[in-house]
Amino acid sequence: MRTIDWVDGAVELVDQTRLPGECVMLRIHTVSELVAAIQRLAVRGAPALGVAGALGVVLADGDPGEIAALRAARPTAVNLAWGVDQAAAHQGAGREAVLAAALRVRDDDIAACLAMGERGADLLEGDRLRIMTVCNTGGLAAVERGTALGVVQTLHERGRLAEVLALETRPLLQGARLTTWELARMGAPHRLIADSAGPYLLARGEVDAVLIGADRIAANGDTANKIGSYALALGAERAGVPFVVVAPESTIDQHTPSGEHIEIEDRGDEEIVTVRGVRVAPEGTRALNPAFDVTPHDLITAIVTDKRVIRP
Ligand code: MRU
């Protein structure tokens, strides 16, 4: 199954807000529908956003206002703007050329995820690996296979995976809803943990490597990823556990010198004071909701891309 694709003149994507209850495909015909889908996280994850951006340019049909709105739909994952730019660069050559460029972004992502899976699995030592991860970095976050969870899939296919400990990933529970769903489909052993249990389980010696994805990697290696990643990096360093970022080259942003220049999306009060629509804090409670954090490069053991291994 492809998470996102171009089918019969429209963008088709899995509505991730409905998982794990139902797996429903959405057909999207306009840029405003696509922007809404991106903002409510029906489509999410940096590589999938890159493909959504590229395919969205086909729907925009040269309208500069629509292209700008699409590019800015979410600020942290550089892949969205990158994907838009890849397709928009071909506008002068007509709609078919834009579509061909967008399909190249899709196909390159599929190839990149396969390559990252192999390279990441080659990098890790050991035969019965216990992996900790946060958020969702699987096929749902890309077109197929994904980044950090793509490495997990390759380890599993090679018979080298003992278990995955998946953080539930409050507030939107991408770990609990999506990562467990994907791990179950691949038949990989896994247990779900509360986010706050991550650093303690690292300290207790229950993890051989932390694998995460990335939304933007600054030129010096500082990495923005789902909130909670930084706490895992601190815990991993203290426990002497490798902390590995897995992301395609398109997530590296050479125009952003370091982490403090990365715009971190704040998603507002509602997602914190409610859980899946149920209020958990008193009426009137205010919240702070950074959707991502930044892990400084000196806490990162390695960055695995589709082309290389970087040791920041
Ligand atoms: O807010 P989300 O669900 O889009 O956040 C996604 C992440 O933080 C992922 O870890 C990241 O995009 C890498 S996906 C392969």
Side-chain angles (χ1 to χ4, degrees):
M1 182 185 76
R2 285 184 176 170
T3 297
I4 179 164
D5 208 348
W6 180 261
V7 181
D8 296 335
V11 177
E12 262 190 20
L13 52 87
V14 177
D15 183 349
Q16 300 188 36
T17 64
R18 311 271 290 267
L19 286 169
E22 309 174 278
C23 187
V24 176
M25 301 301 290
L26 292 178
R27 270 184 73 74
I28 291 188
H29 298 92
T30 67
V31 170
S32 60
E33 286 169 4
L34 185 58
V35 167
I38 290 170
Q39 290 177 342
R40 69 185 182 87
L41 272 53
V43 57
R44 47 147 298 282
L49 290 174
V51 177
L55 294 175
V57 176
V58 186
L59 299 178
D61 213 9
D63 181 326
E66 292 206 322
I67 290 172
L70 182 61
R71 208 174 180 279
R74 287 188 80 192
T76 304
V78 67
N79 306 62
L80 175 60
W82 175 86
V84 168
D85 294 347
Q86 294 298 303
H90 296 267
Q91 282 186 103
R95 190 172 187 276
E96 284 310 308
V98 173
L99 176 58
L103 296 180
R104 266 197 307 279
V105 170
R106 175 201 65 188
D107 294 343
D108 289 352
D109 186 67
I110 294 171
C113 287
L114 261 175
M116 285 182 278
E118 298 289 321
R119 187 166 286 110
D122 289 347
L123 178 79
L124 297 173
E125 289 168 11
D127 279 338
R128 299 276 308 148
L129 289 167
R130 298 162 305 163
I131 304 294
M132 181 172 278
T133 192
V134 61
C135 197
N136 171 266
T137 61
L140 289 167
V143 181
E144 295 174 357
R145 291 183 81 93
T147 59
L149 217 63
V151 174
V152 164
Q153 185 169 346
T154 304
L155 288 171
H156 182 51
E157 288 163 359
R158 293 184 185 179
R160 292 178 54 210
L161 180 72
E163 183 184 37
V164 179
L165 293 178
L167 272 70
E168 58 181 349
T169 320
R170 267 283 282 154
L172 294 180
L173 300 172
Q174 290 94 328
R177 295 187 301 106
L178 309 177
T179 299
T180 54
W181 186 77
E182 292 198 305
L183 288 167
R185 279 165 59 103
M186 57 174 102
H190 60 280
R191 284 183 284 177
L192 183 64
I193 63 169
D195 297 330
S196 42
Y200 173 60
L201 292 171
L202 283 160
R204 226 161 70 172
E206 302 209 14
V207 181
D208 298 309
V210 177
L211 297 182
I212 67 161
D215 286 86
R216 190 181 295 246
I217 300 172
N220 73 343
D222 294 352
T223 292
N225 190 54
K226 182 52 59 191
I227 193 76
S229 301
Y230 177 45
L232 290 186
L234 290 169
E237 190 197 39
R238 174 91 183 195
V241 170
F243 184 89
V244 178
V245 173
V246 186
E249 292 281 331
S250 51
T251 306
I252 299 174
D253 178 10
Q254 295 290 357
H255 302 294
T256 297
S258 60
E260 72 261 27
H261 300 279
I262 300 176
E263 184 182 346
I264 298 296
E265 178 182 10
D266 190 301
R267 293 188 53 87
D269 295 13
E270 198 58 23
E271 293 174 356
I272 303 293
V273 299
T274 62
V275 177
R276 305 291 281 163
V278 176
R279 175 163 280 279
V280 293
E283 212 56 64
T285 303
R286 292 179 55 215
L288 187 59
N289 184 12
F292 303 94
D293 59 26
V294 177
T295 299
H297 62 273
D298 56 292
L299 293 180
I300 298 171
T301 312
I303 299 173
V304 175
T305 80
D306 44 314
K307 300 253 184 308
R308 55 193 165 145
V309 175
I310 304 163
R311 299 199 181 260

